[in-house]
Amino acid sequence: MKNSQNITWHHSSVSKKERHDRNGHKSCVLWFTGLSGSGKSTLANAVDYALFHEGYRSFVLDGDNIRHGLNSDLSFRPSDRKENIRRIGEVAKLFVDSGLIVSSAFISPFREDRELVRQMFETGEFVEIFVNCPIEVCENRDPKGLYKKARKGEIPEFTGISSPYEKPNLPEIVIETDNTSIAQSVQIIINYLKDKKIL
């Protein structure tokens, strides 16, 4: 239930289609989901780099960066994780409405939360990308030292260790980062966007 009252939604004087026409491409959210260390942020930034250098308008919303600012008031409790994803879904929708291709790199461990975000978008605008990587590989990479801390009990409710990760049932794209290079992964995503006439 919304707490705000006496508010009215104001429609933009420039339509999303007009923005698409000006940009020369459609907009969407590339929703990267997967375990910590699976390669979500690396891949999202690589895709963004490729899009930018091909002349497309794009941006990356990174989980850690968002928690530094917009969501700095949220913990990692299940209720706060849910709110974290809801907020970033709303922000991603604003980016999509502005005509951009936005890459969202969040663990987003729960199917229900990802589906709630999907419902915010028009058909075809939400592209779920499951960054699939065995937890053993993620833990071996451990770029931030988080798995080591989680194993010691220093990080409660850590996804994959003390909190579950629910794999997507029907993601638009699956990238297995333990046996697919960054360049190959980027091309898979670019090809999908072209096949769907987003690019």
Side-chain angles (χ1 to χ4, degrees), residues 25-181:
H25 62 83
K26 293 182 181 177
S27 55
C28 69
V29 58
L30 303 175
W31 193 274
F32 294 85
T33 176
L35 294 170
S36 178
S38 61
K40 298 181 302 300
S41 293
T42 299
L43 184 51
N45 278 283
V47 170
D48 184 63
Y49 184 88
L51 290 170
F52 177 81
H53 285 279
E54 287 188 30
Y56 301 111
R57 298 182 184 274
S58 62
F59 192 75
V60 175
L61 296 173
D62 180 79
D64 282 355
N65 292 354
I66 292 293
R67 280 188 174 272
H68 274 288
L70 177 67
N71 292 349
S72 61
D73 61 319
L74 300 178
S75 71
F76 287 90
R77 294 190 307 268
S79 60
D80 278 1
R81 282 178 176 243
K82 188 179 191 72
E83 175 61 10
N84 183 55
I85 297 306
R86 186 196 70 79
R87 288 185 194 177
I88 198 58
E90 294 285 0
V91 172
K93 185 177 187 307
L94 293 174
F95 273 87
V96 170
D97 287 347
S98 76
L100 273 66
I101 297 170
V102 57
S103 294
S104 172
F106 290 76
I107 293 173
S108 52
F110 304 116
R111 292 189 196 100
E112 180 183 34
D113 296 342
R114 297 192 301 265
E115 284 305 308
L116 283 173
V117 174
R118 183 185 288 273
Q119 298 309 311
M120 297 178 185
F121 294 88
E122 295 179 20
T123 301
E125 287 184 343
F126 184 89
V127 181
E128 188 175 39
I129 302 172
F130 177 30
V131 185
N132 188 14
C133 187
I135 191 169
E136 297 80 12
V137 176
C138 295
E139 194 164 357
N140 186 54
R141 291 173 178 169
D142 204 9
K144 303 171 188 174
L146 299 179
Y147 283 97
K148 189 176 291 184
K149 289 182 179 179
R151 291 292 185 189
K152 292 179 180 177
E154 296 174 9
I155 303 179
E157 300 188 76
F158 186 79
T159 303
I161 303 296
S162 51
S163 183
Y165 176 79
E166 299 174 354
K167 296 180 179 181
N169 288 326
L170 292 170
E172 279 73 18
I173 302 172
V174 178
I175 303 289
E176 297 180 345
T177 56
D178 58 323
N179 57 31
T180 308
S181 72

Side-chain angles (χ1 to χ4, degrees), residues 1-34:
M1 180 177 177
K2 295 182 179 179
N3 293 322
S4 302
Q5 297 179 2
N6 303 313
I7 58 173
T8 302
W9 183 266
H10 290 269
H11 295 279
S12 172
S13 57
V14 180
S15 71
K16 185 161 53 178
K17 184 182 184 307
E18 287 174 318
R19 297 181 192 280
H20 291 171
D21 292 343
R22 170 67 61 85
N23 293 341
H25 62 83
K26 293 182 181 177
S27 55
C28 69
V29 58
L30 303 175
W31 193 274
F32 294 85
T33 176

